Amino acid sequence: MTDGPQLGFDTLQIHAGAEPDPATGARQVPIYQTTAYVFRDADHAAKLFNLEEVGYIYSRLTNPTVAALQTRIAALEGGAGAVCCSSGHAAQIMALFPLMGPGRNVVASSRLYGGTITQFSQTIKRFGWSAKFVDFDDHAAVAAAIDDDTRAVFCETIANPGGHISDLDAISAITDAAGVPLIVDNTTATPYLCNPIAHGATLVVHSTTKYLTGNGTVTGGCVVDSGKFDWMASDKFPSLSQPEPAYHGLTFAQALGPMAFTFHSIAIGLRDLGMTMNPQAAHYTLMGIETLSLRMARHVENAQKLAKWLNDDPRVDYVTYAGLASSPYVGLATKICPKGAGALFTIAVKGGYDACVKLVDSLEIFSHVANLGDTRSLVIHSASTTHRQLTPDQQEAAGAGPNIVRLSIGIEDANDLIADLDQALAKATA
Ligand SMILES: *Cc1c(COP(=O)(O)O)cnc(C)c1O
């Protein structure tokens, strides 16, 4: 089977990367539960280690089950290659690692998954990297924040927690002009709702923990490379454009062309950072992806119905869903995510902190968890949980004030979800 872009999304999500097993003919992708692979002879081993021949050496680097998933996600995103890793957060480090160095910075949207804000504002400082946070609705501010030490620009397609949409066309025009790669976290949109590469992204990162797996079973991440960035155009990316001392002087961009980033991520990123996805996790995610388009269509349909119902309810002050006609992002949603504005949004509940806590405790179908993108509907009150450590000002800036509840809409019967919200809002605002 050819995995070309001529095949439709619904076909690729089932078939891309999944040839019948060459050893047994197994139709489903086998779980290759092995650490190592026998070399044909010493010459074969030497060629593999030299990247002259592509094959399997050791499962910290590559594994056939994980490789099937990588091929599938790359096909769905329209990328040249992809590397899976142990979590979404690992994917973010894997994406930045070949680009950054001590003293270098990433210009990042101020609207990001809470864990990413912590990773970027605190943890990466230990590598000598830093992040500059900017409002990505203000394109002039994004352009102004890029300086000589900037090595990447980072945003989410549909941003957490409020479901705001990033104008990827406008932002990629800025990063193109500056000669720096644009990294887009496409977790909340998934390749079904948006292909960031088609809007100019260089790299796409995913937490496969969420919609791609879809049922809350395993953590995982993925970095997809568009294969389109010219690493040789400047001296900003020496790991890719100059002889790499960590790989016996190989110049990745010269030797591997559009696969340079992907091979660097395997040969050096996974080899030395070791944030590997295991084959069991890849198996669960391969199963999940088979139904991605069906699930996402329902997620969006339910989110649209619930957002409208909540928006019309007097117990709710406002709803941030970009699919609502009243949303300032509705135009961008049509451009960037024409099949729907995702299934994640926040609501402002009349009655503030106490009403929100009561709402969360009164919901019966919605689960109160720190997760999103499950088949199940999920809810969290950020101010009393994930954003508890922040000051009131920081909570407001993050869209997580005391009166805000975040909903991740599942694929249950929408009428049941509305009834659940109705009874819980009644208790919360009594
Ligand atoms: C969950 C999430 C992450 C982090 O992924 P993990 O798999 O939990 O490490 C990053 N970005 C977004 C948008 C997420 O939802």
Side-chain angles (χ1 to χ4, degrees):
M1 202 199 81
T2 45
D3 297 336
Q6 72 278 11
L7 294 171
F9 191 96
D10 292 339
T11 307
L12 290 173
Q13 70 184 358
I14 295 169
H15 289 285
E19 301 295 332
D21 180 47
T24 63
R27 180 57 279 197
Q28 192 46 278
V29 179
I31 303 169
Y32 285 91
Q33 199 65 61
T34 184
T35 315
Y37 309 83
V38 179
F39 306 121
R40 286 195 301 274
D41 51 35
D43 182 49
H44 176 222
K47 284 198 170 112
L48 291 177
F49 276 90
N50 263 345
L51 298 182
E52 285 165 30
E53 190 178 323
V54 178
Y56 298 102
I57 297 175
Y58 186 65
S59 284
R60 175 161 23 86
L61 301 127
T62 47
N63 170 281
T65 314
V66 178
L69 177 60
Q70 290 169 166
T71 304
R72 189 168 302 174
I73 297 175
L76 294 177
E77 285 288 12
V83 175
C84 285
C85 42
S86 50
S87 70
H89 268 7
Q92 291 164 195
I93 296 296
M94 290 282 293
L96 291 173
F97 177 67
L99 312 175
M100 302 282 276
R104 308 307 187 196
N105 67 68
V106 51
V107 171
S109 169
S110 47
R111 286 196 201 90
L112 295 175
Y113 178 74
T116 306
I117 294 187
T118 309
Q119 187 187 52
F120 283 9
S121 62
Q122 303 297 333
T123 307
I124 65 171
K125 285 199 275 193
R126 304 211 169 201
F127 305 140
W129 310 349
S130 63
K132 296 191 199 181
F133 292 98
V134 183
D135 177 355
F136 268 46
D137 287 346
D138 183 348
H139 300 152
V142 176
I146 298 174
D147 63 27
D148 288 346
D149 285 320
T150 300
R151 292 295 178 271
V153 170
F154 188 100
C155 66
E156 295 174 1
T157 312
I158 302 177
N160 218 325
H164 305 276
I165 312 267
S166 300
D167 189 346
L168 301 180
D169 298 312
I171 294 159
S172 65
I174 294 165
T175 54
D176 280 354
V180 294
L182 172 62
I183 306 174
V184 177
D185 182 338
N186 201 33
T187 301
T188 51
T190 82
Y192 175 72
L193 296 179
C194 177
N195 282 143
I197 291 171
H199 295 278
T202 311
L203 302 170
V204 176
V205 294
H206 277 285
S207 166
T208 60
T209 314
K210 314 292 169 53
Y211 294 105
L212 295 187
T213 305
N215 44 36
T217 45
V218 285
T219 61
C222 187
V223 185
V224 185
D225 178 26
S226 62
K228 290 181 182 156
F229 195 88
D230 183 1
W231 306 111
M232 307 290 281
S234 74
D235 58 6
K236 286 186 174 171
F237 306 101
S239 275
L240 294 154
S241 67
Q242 287 163 36
E244 169 58 87
Y247 211 85
H248 53 70
L250 185 75
T251 303
F252 278 80
Q254 225 160 47
L256 295 149
M259 291 299 282
F261 192 94
T262 300
F263 273 89
H264 189 285
S265 293
I266 295 169
I268 299 179
L270 287 180
R271 186 195 65 186
D272 296 345
L273 301 176
M275 301 165 164
T276 308
M277 177 181 277
N278 69 74
Q280 283 281 348
H283 167 73
Y284 285 115
T285 306
L286 281 163
M287 296 298 97
I289 287 186
E290 292 191 347
T291 56
L292 180 64
S293 65
L294 307 175
R295 286 185 287 110
M296 288 314 292
R298 174 66 81 86
H299 277 295
V300 165
E301 186 188 322
N302 279 359
Q304 192 73 42
K305 277 187 199 158
L306 268 71
K308 181 162 184 326
W309 182 85
L310 286 160
N311 204 39
D312 292 343
D313 194 292
R315 295 165 296 187
V316 173
D317 276 328
Y318 60 87
V319 178
T320 61
Y321 191 52
L324 290 173
S326 56
S327 166
Y329 292 92
V330 71
L332 266 181
T334 315
K335 183 169 80 153
I336 305 288
C337 300
K339 283 188 254 176
L344 187 72
F345 57 85
T346 55
I347 58 173
V349 182
K350 288 215 170 91
Y353 189 99
D354 293 340
C356 288
V357 170
K358 191 90 201 326
L359 174 76
V360 163
D361 282 345
S362 305
L363 283 163
E364 287 167 11
I365 299 175
F366 281 79
S367 304
H368 185 202
V369 298
N371 192 20
L372 60 92
D374 196 323
T375 47
R376 273 153 281 274
S377 290
L378 311 174
V379 62
I380 194 156
H381 179 229
S382 306
S384 61
T385 56
T386 50
H387 293 62
R388 199 185 176 86
Q389 266 76 7
L390 303 189
T391 64
D393 281 353
Q394 286 174 316
Q395 287 178 351
E396 292 293 343
N403 58 331
I404 302 294
V405 166
R406 188 189 75 187
L407 302 174
S408 170
I409 307 301
I411 60 174
E412 303 98 331
D413 187 321
N415 293 327
D416 294 339
L417 298 176
I418 288 173
D420 194 25
L421 284 164
D422 193 25
Q423 63 81 19
L425 277 168
K427 288 181 187 143
T429 58

